[in-house]
PDB file of all heavy atoms in Angstrom:
ATOM      1  N   ILE A  89     229.024 173.527 -10.341  1.00 96.00           N
ATOM      2  CA  ILE A  89     229.110 172.091 -10.068  1.00 96.00           C
ATOM      3  C   ILE A  89     227.849 171.484 -10.663  1.00 96.00           C
ATOM      4  O   ILE A  89     226.754 171.608 -10.092  1.00 96.00           O
ATOM      5  CB  ILE A  89     229.237 171.798  -8.568  1.00 96.00           C
ATOM      6  CG1 ILE A  89     230.564 172.355  -8.042  1.00 96.00           C
ATOM      7  CG2 ILE A  89     229.158 170.294  -8.308  1.00 96.00           C
ATOM      8  CD1 ILE A  89     230.755 172.162  -6.554  1.00 96.00           C
ATOM      9  N   HIS A  91     226.572 168.466 -11.189  1.00 98.00           N
ATOM     10  CA  HIS A  91     225.824 167.407 -10.514  1.00 98.00           C
ATOM     11  C   HIS A  91     226.443 167.155  -9.144  1.00 98.00           C
ATOM     12  O   HIS A  91     227.670 167.059  -9.021  1.00 98.00           O
ATOM     13  CB  HIS A  91     225.840 166.106 -11.327  1.00 98.00           C
ATOM     14  CG  HIS A  91     225.358 166.270 -12.730  1.00 98.00           C
ATOM     15  ND1 HIS A  91     224.020 166.230 -13.061  1.00 98.00           N
ATOM     16  CD2 HIS A  91     226.034 166.489 -13.893  1.00 98.00           C
ATOM     17  CE1 HIS A  91     223.889 166.409 -14.367  1.00 98.00           C
ATOM     18  NE2 HIS A  91     225.101 166.566 -14.894  1.00 98.00           N
ATOM     19  N   ALA A  92     225.610 167.042  -8.136  1.00 98.00           N
ATOM     20  CA  ALA A  92     226.086 166.769  -6.780  1.00 98.00           C
ATOM     21  C   ALA A  92     225.112 165.817  -6.091  1.00 98.00           C
ATOM     22  O   ALA A  92     223.894 165.991  -6.175  1.00 98.00           O
ATOM     23  CB  ALA A  92     226.219 168.054  -5.979  1.00 98.00           C
ATOM     24  N   VAL A  93     225.670 164.815  -5.410  1.00 98.00           N
ATOM     25  CA  VAL A  93     224.862 163.820  -4.705  1.00 98.00           C
ATOM     26  C   VAL A  93     225.386 163.670  -3.280  1.00 98.00           C
ATOM     27  O   VAL A  93     226.604 163.582  -3.065  1.00 98.00           O
ATOM     28  CB  VAL A  93     224.909 162.443  -5.410  1.00 98.00           C
ATOM     29  CG1 VAL A  93     224.134 161.398  -4.600  1.00 98.00           C
ATOM     30  CG2 VAL A  93     224.340 162.541  -6.818  1.00 98.00           C
ATOM     31  N   LEU A 110     228.148 160.159   2.426  1.00 98.00           N
ATOM     32  CA  LEU A 110     228.915 160.133   1.180  1.00 98.00           C
ATOM     33  C   LEU A 110     228.602 161.399   0.395  1.00 98.00           C
ATOM     34  O   LEU A 110     227.437 161.764   0.240  1.00 98.00           O
ATOM     35  CB  LEU A 110     228.572 158.895   0.359  1.00 98.00           C
ATOM     36  CG  LEU A 110     229.280 158.723  -0.993  1.00 98.00           C
ATOM     37  CD1 LEU A 110     229.495 157.234  -1.300  1.00 98.00           C
ATOM     38  CD2 LEU A 110     228.472 159.353  -2.144  1.00 98.00           C
ATOM     39  N   ASN A 111     229.662 162.068  -0.061  1.00 98.00           N
ATOM     40  CA  ASN A 111     229.515 163.267  -0.880  1.00 98.00           C
ATOM     41  C   ASN A 111     230.213 163.053  -2.218  1.00 98.00           C
ATOM     42  O   ASN A 111     231.402 162.705  -2.248  1.00 98.00           O
ATOM     43  CB  ASN A 111     230.140 164.479  -0.180  1.00 98.00           C
ATOM     44  CG  ASN A 111     229.420 164.866   1.092  1.00 98.00           C
ATOM     45  OD1 ASN A 111     228.467 165.621   1.062  1.00 98.00           O
ATOM     46  ND2 ASN A 111     229.873 164.326   2.215  1.00 98.00           N
ATOM     47  N   TRP A 112     229.484 163.271  -3.291  1.00 98.00           N
ATOM     48  CA  TRP A 112     230.052 163.163  -4.641  1.00 98.00           C
ATOM     49  C   TRP A 112     229.579 164.334  -5.473  1.00 98.00           C
ATOM     50  O   TRP A 112     228.427 164.767  -5.350  1.00 98.00           O
ATOM     51  CB  TRP A 112     229.596 161.868  -5.315  1.00 98.00           C
ATOM     52  CG  TRP A 112     230.008 161.798  -6.771  1.00 98.00           C
ATOM     53  CD1 TRP A 112     231.148 161.262  -7.276  1.00 98.00           C
ATOM     54  CD2 TRP A 112     229.270 162.299  -7.895  1.00 98.00           C
ATOM     55  NE1 TRP A 112     231.188 161.406  -8.643  1.00 98.00           N
ATOM     56  CE2 TRP A 112     230.043 162.051  -9.050  1.00 98.00           C
ATOM     57  CE3 TRP A 112     228.048 162.957  -8.031  1.00 98.00           C
ATOM     58  CZ2 TRP A 112     229.614 162.418 -10.324  1.00 98.00           C
ATOM     59  CZ3 TRP A 112     227.627 163.338  -9.297  1.00 98.00           C
ATOM     60  CH2 TRP A 112     228.413 163.048 -10.433  1.00 98.00           C
ATOM     61  N   HIS A 113     230.470 164.885  -6.273  1.00 98.00           N
ATOM     62  CA  HIS A 113     230.016 165.869  -7.255  1.00 98.00           C
ATOM     63  C   HIS A 113     230.942 165.861  -8.467  1.00 98.00           C
ATOM     64  O   HIS A 113     232.106 165.445  -8.393  1.00 98.00           O
ATOM     65  CB  HIS A 113     229.899 167.278  -6.656  1.00 98.00           C
ATOM     66  CG  HIS A 113     231.190 167.893  -6.185  1.00 98.00           C
ATOM     67  ND1 HIS A 113     232.185 168.321  -7.032  1.00 98.00           N
ATOM     68  CD2 HIS A 113     231.628 168.169  -4.929  1.00 98.00           C
ATOM     69  CE1 HIS A 113     233.163 168.853  -6.347  1.00 98.00           C
ATOM     70  NE2 HIS A 113     232.863 168.760  -5.058  1.00 98.00           N
ATOM     71  N   SER A 114     230.401 166.300  -9.574  1.00 97.00           N
ATOM     72  CA  SER A 114     231.194 166.411 -10.793  1.00 97.00           C
ATOM     73  C   SER A 114     232.212 167.537 -10.634  1.00 97.00           C
ATOM     74  O   SER A 114     232.081 168.405  -9.772  1.00 97.00           O
ATOM     75  CB  SER A 114     230.274 166.666 -11.992  1.00 97.00           C
ATOM     76  OG  SER A 114     229.460 167.788 -11.772  1.00 97.00           O
ATOM     77  N   GLY A 115     233.230 167.525 -11.493  1.00 96.00           N
ATOM     78  CA  GLY A 115     234.319 168.474 -11.354  1.00 96.00           C
ATOM     79  C   GLY A 115     233.943 169.886 -11.775  1.00 96.00           C
ATOM     80  O   GLY A 115     233.123 170.089 -12.676  1.00 96.00           O
ATOM     81  N   ARG A 116     234.565 170.873 -11.116  1.00 95.00           N
ATOM     82  CA  ARG A 116     234.359 172.268 -11.482  1.00 95.00           C
ATOM     83  C   ARG A 116     235.082 172.592 -12.788  1.00 95.00           C
ATOM     84  O   ARG A 116     236.073 171.958 -13.141  1.00 95.00           O
ATOM     85  CB  ARG A 116     234.883 173.191 -10.388  1.00 95.00           C
ATOM     86  CG  ARG A 116     234.102 173.165  -9.099  1.00 95.00           C
ATOM     87  CD  ARG A 116     234.516 174.323  -8.190  1.00 95.00           C
ATOM     88  NE  ARG A 116     235.945 174.298  -7.885  1.00 95.00           N
ATOM     89  CZ  ARG A 116     236.838 175.135  -8.389  1.00 95.00           C
ATOM     90  NH1 ARG A 116     236.479 176.063  -9.247  1.00 95.00           N
ATOM     91  NH2 ARG A 116     238.112 175.049  -8.042  1.00 95.00           N
ATOM     92  N   LEU A 142     237.652 169.533 -13.791  1.00 96.00           N
ATOM     93  CA  LEU A 142     238.446 168.789 -12.823  1.00 96.00           C
ATOM     94  C   LEU A 142     237.853 167.383 -12.653  1.00 96.00           C
ATOM     95  O   LEU A 142     236.695 167.149 -12.996  1.00 96.00           O
ATOM     96  CB  LEU A 142     238.440 169.501 -11.479  1.00 96.00           C
ATOM     97  CG  LEU A 142     239.142 170.862 -11.423  1.00 96.00           C
ATOM     98  CD1 LEU A 142     238.893 171.520 -10.071  1.00 96.00           C
ATOM     99  CD2 LEU A 142     240.642 170.716 -11.668  1.00 96.00           C
ATOM    100  N   PRO A 143     238.634 166.441 -12.107  1.00 96.00           N
ATOM    101  CA  PRO A 143     238.084 165.105 -11.860  1.00 96.00           C
ATOM    102  C   PRO A 143     236.930 165.148 -10.856  1.00 96.00           C
ATOM    103  O   PRO A 143     236.763 166.107 -10.101  1.00 96.00           O
ATOM    104  CB  PRO A 143     239.280 164.339 -11.279  1.00 96.00           C
ATOM    105  CG  PRO A 143     240.486 165.095 -11.729  1.00 96.00           C
ATOM    106  CD  PRO A 143     240.071 166.531 -11.791  1.00 96.00           C
ATOM    107  N   GLU A 144     236.135 164.114 -10.857  1.00 97.00           N
ATOM    108  CA  GLU A 144     235.018 164.005  -9.917  1.00 97.00           C
ATOM    109  C   GLU A 144     235.529 164.000  -8.475  1.00 97.00           C
ATOM    110  O   GLU A 144     236.629 163.530  -8.183  1.00 97.00           O
ATOM    111  CB  GLU A 144     234.221 162.732 -10.182  1.00 97.00           C
ATOM    112  CG  GLU A 144     233.581 162.685 -11.560  1.00 97.00           C
ATOM    113  CD  GLU A 144     232.911 161.358 -11.832  1.00 97.00           C
ATOM    114  OE1 GLU A 144     233.117 160.414 -11.025  1.00 97.00           O
ATOM    115  OE2 GLU A 144     232.183 161.255 -12.817  1.00 97.00           O
ATOM    116  N   TYR A 145     234.710 164.508  -7.578  1.00 97.00           N
ATOM    117  CA  TYR A 145     235.031 164.597  -6.153  1.00 97.00           C
ATOM    118  C   TYR A 145     234.237 163.532  -5.400  1.00 97.00           C
ATOM    119  O   TYR A 145     233.035 163.374  -5.611  1.00 97.00           O
ATOM    120  CB  TYR A 145     234.674 165.988  -5.643  1.00 97.00           C
ATOM    121  CG  TYR A 145     234.937 166.230  -4.171  1.00 97.00           C
ATOM    122  CD1 TYR A 145     236.095 166.864  -3.753  1.00 97.00           C
ATOM    123  CD2 TYR A 145     234.003 165.847  -3.200  1.00 97.00           C
ATOM    124  CE1 TYR A 145     236.326 167.112  -2.410  1.00 97.00           C
ATOM    125  CE2 TYR A 145     234.234 166.086  -1.853  1.00 97.00           C
ATOM    126  CZ  TYR A 145     235.397 166.729  -1.466  1.00 97.00           C
ATOM    127  OH  TYR A 145     235.631 166.964  -0.140  1.00 97.00           O
ATOM    128  N   LEU A 146     234.904 162.812  -4.499  1.00 98.00           N
ATOM    129  CA  LEU A 146     234.232 161.788  -3.697  1.00 98.00           C
ATOM    130  C   LEU A 146     234.821 161.790  -2.290  1.00 98.00           C
ATOM    131  O   LEU A 146     236.037 161.762  -2.111  1.00 98.00           O
ATOM    132  CB  LEU A 146     234.404 160.402  -4.323  1.00 98.00           C
ATOM    133  CG  LEU A 146     233.812 159.229  -3.523  1.00 98.00           C
ATOM    134  CD1 LEU A 146     232.298 159.342  -3.463  1.00 98.00           C
ATOM    135  CD2 LEU A 146     234.229 157.900  -4.133  1.00 98.00           C
ATOM    136  N   ARG A 147     233.931 161.839  -1.296  1.00 97.00           N
ATOM    137  CA  ARG A 147     234.383 161.815   0.097  1.00 97.00           C
ATOM    138  C   ARG A 147     233.375 161.049   0.942  1.00 97.00           C
ATOM    139  O   ARG A 147     232.162 161.228   0.799  1.00 97.00           O
ATOM    140  CB  ARG A 147     234.507 163.247   0.628  1.00 97.00           C
ATOM    141  CG  ARG A 147     235.287 163.338   1.937  1.00 97.00           C
ATOM    142  CD  ARG A 147     235.276 164.750   2.504  1.00 97.00           C
ATOM    143  NE  ARG A 147     234.039 165.012   3.228  1.00 97.00           N
ATOM    144  CZ  ARG A 147     233.211 165.995   2.963  1.00 97.00           C
ATOM    145  NH1 ARG A 147     233.446 166.812   1.963  1.00 97.00           N
ATOM    146  NH2 ARG A 147     232.114 166.168   3.680  1.00 97.00           N
ATOM    147  N   VAL A 148     233.880 160.193   1.842  1.00 98.00           N
ATOM    148  CA  VAL A 148     233.044 159.431   2.763  1.00 98.00           C
ATOM    149  C   VAL A 148     233.470 159.775   4.190  1.00 98.00           C
ATOM    150  O   VAL A 148     234.662 159.737   4.508  1.00 98.00           O
ATOM    151  CB  VAL A 148     233.162 157.912   2.521  1.00 98.00           C
ATOM    152  CG1 VAL A 148     232.332 157.151   3.562  1.00 98.00           C
ATOM    153  CG2 VAL A 148     232.708 157.559   1.111  1.00 98.00           C
ATOM    154  N   ASP A 149     232.504 160.115   5.032  1.00 98.00           N
ATOM    155  CA  ASP A 149     232.781 160.473   6.422  1.00 98.00           C
ATOM    156  C   ASP A 149     231.988 159.558   7.363  1.00 98.00           C
ATOM    157  O   ASP A 149     230.883 159.130   7.038  1.00 98.00           O
ATOM    158  CB  ASP A 149     232.376 161.927   6.702  1.00 98.00           C
ATOM    159  CG  ASP A 149     232.974 162.902   5.702  1.00 98.00           C
ATOM    160  OD1 ASP A 149     234.118 162.684   5.283  1.00 98.00           O
ATOM    161  OD2 ASP A 149     232.282 163.885   5.354  1.00 98.00           O
ATOM    162  N   TRP A 171     237.038 162.079   8.707  1.00 96.00           N
ATOM    163  CA  TRP A 171     236.696 162.788   7.472  1.00 96.00           C
ATOM    164  C   TRP A 171     237.504 162.184   6.331  1.00 96.00           C
ATOM    165  O   TRP A 171     238.708 161.942   6.471  1.00 96.00           O
ATOM    166  CB  TRP A 171     237.031 164.261   7.664  1.00 96.00           C
ATOM    167  CG  TRP A 171     236.468 165.210   6.668  1.00 96.00           C
ATOM    168  CD1 TRP A 171     235.218 165.752   6.666  1.00 96.00           C
ATOM    169  CD2 TRP A 171     237.143 165.777   5.539  1.00 96.00           C
ATOM    170  NE1 TRP A 171     235.072 166.619   5.606  1.00 96.00           N
ATOM    171  CE2 TRP A 171     236.234 166.653   4.903  1.00 96.00           C
ATOM    172  CE3 TRP A 171     238.420 165.633   5.005  1.00 96.00           C
ATOM    173  CZ2 TRP A 171     236.570 167.373   3.759  1.00 96.00           C
ATOM    174  CZ3 TRP A 171     238.752 166.340   3.870  1.00 96.00           C
ATOM    175  CH2 TRP A 171     237.844 167.193   3.263  1.00 96.00           C
ATOM    176  N   ASN A 172     236.859 161.889   5.220  1.00 97.00           N
ATOM    177  CA  ASN A 172     237.503 161.270   4.061  1.00 97.00           C
ATOM    178  C   ASN A 172     238.110 159.920   4.452  1.00 97.00           C
ATOM    179  O   ASN A 172     239.313 159.667   4.281  1.00 97.00           O
ATOM    180  CB  ASN A 172     238.571 162.193   3.468  1.00 97.00           C
ATOM    181  CG  ASN A 172     239.027 161.757   2.085  1.00 97.00           C
ATOM    182  OD1 ASN A 172     238.474 160.829   1.486  1.00 97.00           O
ATOM    183  ND2 ASN A 172     240.050 162.420   1.566  1.00 97.00           N
ATOM    184  N   LYS A 176     240.752 159.432  -0.137  1.00 95.00           N
ATOM    185  CA  LYS A 176     240.785 159.762  -1.564  1.00 95.00           C
ATOM    186  C   LYS A 176     241.395 161.140  -1.770  1.00 95.00           C
ATOM    187  O   LYS A 176     241.019 162.107  -1.108  1.00 95.00           O
ATOM    188  CB  LYS A 176     239.373 159.713  -2.152  1.00 95.00           C
ATOM    189  CG  LYS A 176     239.326 160.005  -3.647  1.00 95.00           C
ATOM    190  CD  LYS A 176     237.959 159.769  -4.222  1.00 95.00           C
ATOM    191  CE  LYS A 176     237.860 160.184  -5.676  1.00 95.00           C
ATOM    192  NZ  LYS A 176     238.857 159.520  -6.518  1.00 95.00           N
ATOM    193  N   GLU A 177     242.337 161.241  -2.696  1.00 92.00           N
ATOM    194  CA  GLU A 177     242.966 162.511  -3.022  1.00 92.00           C
ATOM    195  C   GLU A 177     242.130 163.226  -4.083  1.00 92.00           C
ATOM    196  O   GLU A 177     242.211 162.915  -5.267  1.00 92.00           O
ATOM    197  CB  GLU A 177     244.398 162.298  -3.519  1.00 92.00           C
ATOM    198  CG  GLU A 177     245.343 161.777  -2.450  1.00 92.00           C
ATOM    199  CD  GLU A 177     246.787 161.751  -2.934  1.00 92.00           C
ATOM    200  OE1 GLU A 177     247.018 162.036  -4.126  1.00 92.00           O
ATOM    201  OE2 GLU A 177     247.669 161.466  -2.117  1.00 92.00           O
ATOM    202  N   ASN A 178     241.337 164.172  -3.642  1.00 96.00           N
ATOM    203  CA  ASN A 178     240.471 164.917  -4.549  1.00 96.00           C
ATOM    204  C   ASN A 178     241.162 166.192  -5.016  1.00 96.00           C
ATOM    205  O   ASN A 178     241.609 167.003  -4.200  1.00 96.00           O
ATOM    206  CB  ASN A 178     239.160 165.283  -3.854  1.00 96.00           C
ATOM    207  CG  ASN A 178     238.302 164.067  -3.563  1.00 96.00           C
ATOM    208  OD1 ASN A 178     237.834 163.392  -4.474  1.00 96.00           O
ATOM    209  ND2 ASN A 178     238.090 163.786  -2.281  1.00 96.00           N
ATOM    210  N   VAL A 179     241.254 166.369  -6.323  1.00 95.00           N
ATOM    211  CA  VAL A 179     241.819 167.586  -6.889  1.00 95.00           C
ATOM    212  C   VAL A 179     240.739 168.665  -6.874  1.00 95.00           C
ATOM    213  O   VAL A 179     239.647 168.478  -7.411  1.00 95.00           O
ATOM    214  CB  VAL A 179     242.314 167.357  -8.330  1.00 95.00           C
ATOM    215  CG1 VAL A 179     242.852 168.665  -8.927  1.00 95.00           C
ATOM    216  CG2 VAL A 179     243.382 166.279  -8.362  1.00 95.00           C
ATOM    217  N   ILE A 180     241.031 169.803  -6.241  1.00 93.00           N
ATOM    218  CA  ILE A 180     240.043 170.866  -6.138  1.00 93.00           C
ATOM    219  C   ILE A 180     240.435 172.105  -6.933  1.00 93.00           C
ATOM    220  O   ILE A 180     239.622 173.018  -7.086  1.00 93.00           O
ATOM    221  CB  ILE A 180     239.787 171.246  -4.662  1.00 93.00           C
ATOM    222  CG1 ILE A 180     241.087 171.673  -3.973  1.00 93.00           C
ATOM    223  CG2 ILE A 180     239.150 170.081  -3.920  1.00 93.00           C
ATOM    224  CD1 ILE A 180     240.881 172.160  -2.551  1.00 93.00           C
ATOM    225  N   ASN A 181     241.660 172.145  -7.474  1.00 93.00           N
ATOM    226  CA  ASN A 181     242.044 173.298  -8.291  1.00 93.00           C
ATOM    227  C   ASN A 181     243.328 172.998  -9.050  1.00 93.00           C
ATOM    228  O   ASN A 181     244.208 172.304  -8.547  1.00 93.00           O
ATOM    229  CB  ASN A 181     242.238 174.538  -7.420  1.00 93.00           C
ATOM    230  CG  ASN A 181     242.233 175.822  -8.225  1.00 93.00           C
ATOM    231  OD1 ASN A 181     241.813 175.842  -9.380  1.00 93.00           O
ATOM    232  ND2 ASN A 181     242.714 176.898  -7.638  1.00 93.00           N
ATOM    233  N   ARG A 197     244.846 169.969  -3.610  1.00 94.00           N
ATOM    234  CA  ARG A 197     244.072 168.784  -3.268  1.00 94.00           C
ATOM    235  C   ARG A 197     243.411 168.967  -1.914  1.00 94.00           C
ATOM    236  O   ARG A 197     243.906 169.683  -1.047  1.00 94.00           O
ATOM    237  CB  ARG A 197     244.967 167.538  -3.237  1.00 94.00           C
ATOM    238  CG  ARG A 197     245.595 167.212  -4.601  1.00 94.00           C
ATOM    239  CD  ARG A 197     246.542 166.022  -4.496  1.00 94.00           C
ATOM    240  NE  ARG A 197     247.151 165.699  -5.770  1.00 94.00           N
ATOM    241  CZ  ARG A 197     246.642 164.859  -6.651  1.00 94.00           C
ATOM    242  NH1 ARG A 197     245.513 164.237  -6.373  1.00 94.00           N
ATOM    243  NH2 ARG A 197     247.251 164.628  -7.795  1.00 94.00           N
ATOM    244  N   SER A 198     242.288 168.300  -1.730  1.00 94.00           N
ATOM    245  CA  SER A 198     241.606 168.346  -0.443  1.00 94.00           C
ATOM    246  C   SER A 198     242.364 167.487   0.568  1.00 94.00           C
ATOM    247  O   SER A 198     243.258 166.715   0.215  1.00 94.00           O
ATOM    248  CB  SER A 198     240.174 167.839  -0.592  1.00 94.00           C
ATOM    249  OG  SER A 198     240.171 166.478  -0.988  1.00 94.00           O
ATOM    250  N   LEU A 199     242.004 167.632   1.832  1.00 94.00           N
ATOM    251  CA  LEU A 199     242.631 166.836   2.878  1.00 94.00           C
ATOM    252  C   LEU A 199     242.371 165.350   2.662  1.00 94.00           C
ATOM    253  O   LEU A 199     241.309 164.948   2.198  1.00 94.00           O
ATOM    254  CB  LEU A 199     242.091 167.239   4.244  1.00 94.00           C
ATOM    255  CG  LEU A 199     242.512 168.615   4.787  1.00 94.00           C
ATOM    256  CD1 LEU A 199     241.747 168.909   6.067  1.00 94.00           C
ATOM    257  CD2 LEU A 199     244.007 168.668   5.025  1.00 94.00           C
TER     258      LEU A 199
END
Side-chain angles (χ1 to χ4, degrees):
I89 295 178
H91 305 275
V93 176
L110 179 148
N111 294 273
W112 173 91
H113 64 71
S114 55
R116 291 192 302 107
L142 293 173
E144 298 175 350
Y145 179 98
L146 176 66
R147 194 185 81 237
V148 177
D149 308 324
W171 194 83
N172 194 7
K176 182 172 174 56
E177 293 187 354
N178 292 295
V179 178
I180 57 176
N181 197 15
R197 297 176 180 270
S198 63
L199 289 173

